[in-house]
């Protein structure tokens, strides 16, 4: 009996074979970050948890540390995801530089990036070495490369060297997180010295500009820049005049740079946290009066913990967010902004 196959029509085997080749071709061009997740099938179901009751609430104990403060000396100690963050290969093979990576929000990003498969360099102030060493150990525990780069970023020379060292020691750079900041509370403009104003602007704006300028020539298409701005960019605290001004600057720098770098395939986004429990707040960033009730005026009635921002920094760095640029991601416990 004559088969209904004819020599011009592709056989079922050819069709199936062709499909398989096509699928293989699609996967062959898929970036490394989208490689199959390791072991997600083994991840147990997570119980639903009410976010309101997840973490400590005010009132907090009065406490004060000299600037820049250590996470390890805070009470309660912030949760940076040390015990909780689980990765799934979303940043496999990436090389990241995070300023202020020793503590707080930067530490949470560093831990998450390492657990997502990235090598991570952190910058911090020399006085923060004890916090930095904890982060280095956590990154190494994931089998990733950890590069510790202490240095005060208030000069262009240090910023240039920081980027050069990160590139040399990581073997390249594809994620930059500008996260370091100075925050000093003052009730009146009359109390803000020129020295404080200069310190805040140098740390929060100039350093971001210098580090980004030094990094861009190294960033290939697909790379990501993430800047930490603040709810203060949108709804400034009256006692954080100079700081809020810089956070507004970071927000608009992010949006403008995103437009400029889109054609190079580099995405630029920002994160705008509300109140988060970090050393910056206990080392002059808040009055003692405000610290005791820190986070109370959010709908959640508590401050965020750095661990609660980790997935945001991962998302903005990951290849899955390929159409997201020039955006600011807010996390303020329900107060809105941006
Ligand atoms: P943090 O104190 O843990 O981190 C700030 C880091 O900045 C320090 O660890 C330090 O390493 C670094 N730094 C400061 N001055 C520096 C300098 N001259 N040279 C080098 N490094 C320097 O506090 P955090 O709250 O995690 O701060 C991280 C970012 O989050 C900052 O940009 C801050 O403005 C932003 N933010 C924090 C909150 C909050 O409530 N904690 C809210 C909104 C935005
Ligand atoms: Mg610190």
């Amino acid at each position: 009996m004559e088969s209904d196959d004819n020599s011009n029509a592709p056989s079922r085997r050819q069709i199936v074979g062709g499909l398989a080749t096509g699928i293989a071709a699609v996967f062959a061009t898929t970036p490394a970050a989208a490689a199959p997740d390791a072991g997600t099938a083994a991840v147990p179901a997570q119980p639903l948890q009410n976010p309101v009751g997840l973490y400590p609430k005010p009132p907090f104990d009065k406490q004060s540390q000299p600037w820049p403060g250590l996470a390890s000396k805070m009470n309660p100690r912030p949760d940076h995801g040390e015990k909780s963050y689980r990765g799934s290969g979303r940043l496999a093979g990436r090389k990241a530089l995070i300023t202020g990576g020793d503590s707080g929000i930067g530490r949470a990003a560093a831990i998450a990036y390492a657990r997502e498969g990235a090598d991570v360099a952190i910058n911090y102030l020399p006085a923060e070495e004890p916090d930095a060493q904890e982060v280095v150990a956590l990154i190494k525990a994931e089998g990733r490369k950890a590069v510790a780069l202490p240095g005060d970023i208030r000069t262009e020379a240090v910023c240039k060297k920081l980027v050069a060292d990160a590139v040399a020691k990581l073997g390249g750079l594809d994620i930059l997180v500008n996260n370091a900041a100075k925050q000093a509370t003052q009730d009146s403009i009359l109390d803000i010295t020129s020295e404080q104003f200069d310190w805040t602007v140098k740390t929060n704006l100039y350093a971001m500009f210098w580090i980004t300028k030094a990094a861009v020539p190294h960033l290939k298409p697909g790379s990501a820049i993430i800047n930490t701005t603040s709810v203060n960019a949108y709804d400034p605290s009256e006692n954080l005049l100079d700081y809020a001004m810089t956070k507004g600057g970071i927000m608009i720098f992010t949006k403008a740079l995103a437009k400029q770098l889109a054609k190079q395939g580099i995405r630029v986004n920002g994160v705008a946290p509300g109140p988060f429990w970090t050393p910056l707040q206990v080392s002059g960033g808040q009055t003692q009066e405000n610290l005791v009730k820190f986070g109370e005026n959010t709908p959640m009635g508590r401050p965020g913990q750095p661990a609660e921002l980790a997935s945001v920094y991962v998302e903005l760095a990951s290849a899955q967010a390929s159409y997201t640029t020039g955006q600011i991601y807010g996390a303020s416990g329900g107060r809105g902004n941006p």
Side-chain angles (χ1 to χ4, degrees):
M1 201 179 115
E2 211 179 283
S3 134
D4 53 10
D5 273 351
N6 83 46
S7 53
N8 292 328
S11 69
R12 176 179 289 269
R13 179 178 292 179
Q14 283 170 323
I15 292 169
V16 173
L19 267 178
T21 312
I23 291 167
V26 168
F27 278 107
T29 55
T30 302
D37 292 345
T40 41
V43 176
Q46 300 295 308
L48 274 179
Q49 285 177 303
N50 183 341
V52 175
L54 264 185
Y55 287 110
K57 279 182 149 49
F60 294 103
D61 288 348
K62 285 188 178 170
Q63 55 198 287
S64 172
Q65 295 184 38
W67 175 263
L70 291 174
S72 51
K73 290 191 176 161
M74 288 178 68
N75 174 32
R77 269 192 76 139
D79 181 354
H80 307 90
E82 287 91 341
K83 296 205 172 82
S84 56
Y85 191 87
R86 303 179 72 121
S88 57
R90 295 187 68 189
L91 302 175
R94 295 285 192 261
K95 300 162 195 312
L97 168 61
I98 304 172
T99 65
D102 60 299
S103 60
I105 294 162
R107 181 196 287 213
I111 293 170
Y113 282 8
R115 293 192 182 161
E116 295 291 355
D119 292 333
V120 184
I122 57 166
N123 162 255
Y124 50 92
L125 287 162
E128 298 172 303
E129 195 63 41
D131 272 1
Q133 284 310 319
E134 289 185 6
V135 179
V136 165
L138 287 159
I139 297 168
K140 285 186 176 163
E142 300 305 315
R144 307 312 314 174
K145 193 185 277 183
V147 180
L149 298 171
D152 187 327
I153 57 177
R154 285 178 294 159
T155 64
E156 185 169 15
V158 169
C159 292
K160 280 182 167 172
K161 186 171 182 323
L162 169 63
V163 172
D165 287 349
V167 169
K169 292 187 176 163
L170 293 171
L173 187 67
D174 19 55
I175 302 168
L176 169 64
V177 181
N178 286 305
N179 170 74
K182 172 73 173 171
Q183 174 184 321
T185 181
Q186 302 290 0
D187 288 340
S188 164
I189 185 172
L190 303 183
D191 299 326
I192 301 177
T193 61
S194 295
E195 189 200 6
Q196 174 179 322
F197 188 85
D198 184 64
W199 191 328
T200 305
V201 177
K202 283 272 163 52
T203 313
N204 302 7
L205 286 177
Y206 273 82
M208 173 185 65
F209 166 67
W210 288 325
I211 291 168
T212 305
K213 193 174 167 186
V216 163
H218 299 283
L219 301 178
K220 297 192 178 72
S223 299
I225 299 171
I226 301 161
N227 300 321
T228 306
T229 170
S230 169
V231 64
N232 275 280
Y234 301 90
D235 184 12
S237 301
E238 64 183 79
N239 59 339
L240 294 175
L241 186 61
D242 52 340
Y243 171 85
M245 177 197 77
T246 65
K247 291 292 158 177
I250 294 167
M251 181 271 286
I252 213 72
F253 176 87
T254 300
K255 288 177 174 288
L257 190 67
K259 289 180 179 169
Q260 196 180 102
L261 295 183
K263 38 191 155 328
Q264 285 172 239
I266 300 166
R267 296 179 302 106
V268 189
N269 291 288
V271 179
F276 274 75
W277 187 249
T278 69
L280 178 132
Q281 305 295 0
V282 302
S283 57
Q286 295 291 336
T287 59
Q288 288 297 309
E289 188 197 350
N290 284 345
L291 191 66
V292 169
K293 54 182 186 193
F294 193 59
E296 187 181 75
N297 65 354
T298 66
M300 289 236 184
R302 66 165 177 88
Q305 292 291 327
E308 297 181 277
L309 274 177
S311 67
V312 174
Y313 284 81
V314 169
E315 171 67 12
L316 294 176
S318 84
Q320 284 97 338
S322 46
Y323 200 57
T324 300
T325 194
Q327 305 302 308
I328 309 293
Y329 195 117
S332 302
R335 275 189 79 189
N337 301 304

